[in-house]
Amino acid sequence: MPPPRPTDLLRIMTPDELVRAAIEVAEEGMAHGELPIGAVIEMGGEIIARAHTRDRSWGRRLVHADLLAMTEADEKLGWAPRPHPLRLAVNLEPCLMCLGAAMALKVDEVYYGLDSPADGGSALVADWPASPDLPWYTPPAITGGLHRDEVQDQFRRYCNQAPDSGFRTWAQTLRSR
Ligand SMILES: [Zn+2]
């Protein structure tokens, strides 16, 4: 049998699979007492970074799942040329900060599950005026609504078990949308 060609080995994950992987990471976070928010980053069929939010365990604000996953991906990729598009999946719509980070990291595609009306940034970055002076600094292509019901169920389960806190109050706004 001839050895497999590189193109045979490469199987890009579907958007559905990417968001499902993010949901699994969110589930791990919830098992550790965090909000159920998880993110994965894929390039060329390989998940190169994954993280859940760390708000509670690290006691900080700038520890969103997607930002932590992008930081990990940035450490791996640096400025080296990329052979494949870089894709981010999150179970919840990314906020403005994380979409800004996605633009700085030059993420090509973003997939998410549930809209986040209070802090989701998709609509705002869609209007970003691209400049010919920095042509790569543009918003990624963003697609939401994948496995939305599953994500709502995660927030529902979180609210049923979490102690009263600002996190829980906010999570309650997401479980019923
Ligand atoms: Zn964020």
Side-chain angles (χ1 to χ4, degrees):
M1 189 185 293
R5 296 168 302 171
T7 48
D8 294 333
L9 297 173
L10 181 69
R11 196 185 77 78
I12 307 292
M13 293 175 74
T14 66
D16 270 354
E17 288 171 326
L18 286 170
V19 173
R20 190 166 291 285
I23 287 173
E24 280 173 26
V25 181
E27 203 67 34
E28 291 169 24
M30 185 156 51
H32 288 94
E34 298 285 356
L35 282 159
I37 307 173
V40 298
I41 297 182
E42 182 247 34
M43 190 175 70
E46 185 192 353
I47 293 201
I48 62 167
R50 63 202 297 285
H52 58 70
T53 186
R54 299 276 184 180
D55 305 75
R56 290 182 71 93
S57 55
W58 289 3
R60 287 169 41 198
R61 291 172 183 265
L62 307 186
V63 287
H64 293 187
D66 20 10
L67 189 64
L68 295 178
M70 283 189 281
T71 300
E72 185 186 338
D74 185 32
E75 286 168 1
K76 288 184 179 167
L77 299 171
W79 289 96
R82 298 174 190 164
H84 306 286
L86 193 64
R87 307 197 296 166
L88 164 69
V90 197
N91 64 330
L92 186 68
E93 181 182 3
C95 73
L96 193 55
M97 169 182 75
C98 290
L99 286 172
M103 288 170 66
L105 184 61
K106 201 177 173 302
V107 170
D108 298 286
E109 299 164 23
V110 172
Y111 299 97
Y112 71 85
L114 183 64
D115 286 345
S116 184
D119 73 347
S122 306
L124 279 173
V125 299
D127 290 335
W128 183 264
S131 165
D133 300 332
L134 198 58
W136 62 266
Y137 193 73
T138 55
I142 303 174
T143 306
L146 303 167
H147 301 294
R148 178 180 177 277
D149 293 348
E150 258 173 82
V151 182
Q152 268 189 331
D153 182 61
Q154 288 188 304
F155 280 96
R156 205 171 289 130
R157 286 186 285 117
Y158 173 83
C159 290
N160 288 342
Q161 68 177 37
D164 260 344
S165 70
F167 296 118
R168 185 170 180 271
T169 302
W170 173 68
Q172 280 176 323
T173 69
L174 294 165
R175 67 178 182 174
S176 56
R177 284 182 191 276

